[in-house]
Amino acid sequence: MNKVILMGRLTRDPEVRYSAGENSTAYARYTLAVDRRFRREGSDQQTADFIGCVVFGRGAEFAEKYLRQGTKIVVTGRIQTGSYTNRDGQKVYTTDVVVEDQEFAESKAAASGGQGGGYQNGGYQNSGYQKPAAAAPMPSEASAGDGFMNIPDGIDEELPFN
C-alpha cells in the first residue's frame, strides 16, 4: 500500500501550470514544511522536512485560488518516484507526493493569529464536496454550556440518520 498523510505549512505560494492540448489540465506544485516529532539533540529548534507535492485537476485549481505561503494544510496521497537527465547529462532522481485530498488544518482566525485553532469546517477534498447552499445557519460553538453545539430546529429532514 502506498499512502501518505502529511500536515504542514506551505513554504511559498503554489506554482500552477496547465498542460498543453485540447483538454488542458491544471497541475500545481508546492512544498510543505512538516515538523518532525522530535528535536535534534543539543538544539532547541524544531526541525522540519520539506516535502514536494503535486496535485492535478480541480485540486490544482483549488490550490491556485485558496492556498498561500504559510497556510497549514493536511494532504493525503501517494509517493511517486522518478528520474530525468539534466542539462549536464547527470541523472537526477525525484520523489514527490501526488496529492489526492487536501484540507485546511486551521481556521482563518488561527492562521492570522486570532482566537481559535484546530480544524474548522470548510475543508476541501478533491471529490468535489461543497457545503449545501440551503443549510441552516449554525449557532456559535459557545452557545451550549456543555461543549456541544445545539442542532437548530427544523432540520430533522436534512439529517442522514434519526
Side-chain angles (χ1 to χ4, degrees), residues 17-131:
R17 296 190 178 169
Y18 291 84
S19 64
E22 274 185 44
N23 299 328
S24 66
T25 301
Y27 64 96
R29 289 189 170 276
Y30 52 80
T31 302
L32 280 182
V34 179
D35 287 335
R36 291 186 180 170
R37 183 171 250 173
F38 303 103
R39 298 173 193 246
R40 204 176 277 168
E41 282 188 42
S43 173
D44 289 339
Q45 296 204 354
Q46 183 83 25
T47 56
D49 292 305
F50 297 90
I51 301 170
C53 299
V54 62
V55 58
F56 298 93
R58 291 186 56 179
E61 293 168 4
F62 174 84
E64 180 178 37
K65 190 171 183 179
Y66 296 109
L67 301 184
R68 297 289 172 258
Q69 178 179 347
T71 303
K72 188 174 189 178
I73 63 171
V74 174
V75 301
T76 59
R78 60 186 168 81
I79 296 226
Q80 181 172 295
T81 59
S83 64
Y84 65 93
T85 304
N86 67 11
R87 292 179 181 160
D88 299 330
Q90 297 173 329
K91 194 163 194 169
V92 178
Y93 295 93
T94 62
T95 303
D96 289 311
V97 171
V98 177
V99 175
E100 295 165 356
D101 296 318
Q102 55 193 354
E103 300 179 356
F104 291 107
E106 65 185 359
S107 67
K108 277 189 175 183
S112 62
Q115 294 295 323
Y119 176 74
Q120 298 290 322
N121 290 335
Y124 171 81
Q125 296 178 346
N126 286 347
S127 62
Y129 171 79
Q130 293 182 351
K131 190 173 181 179

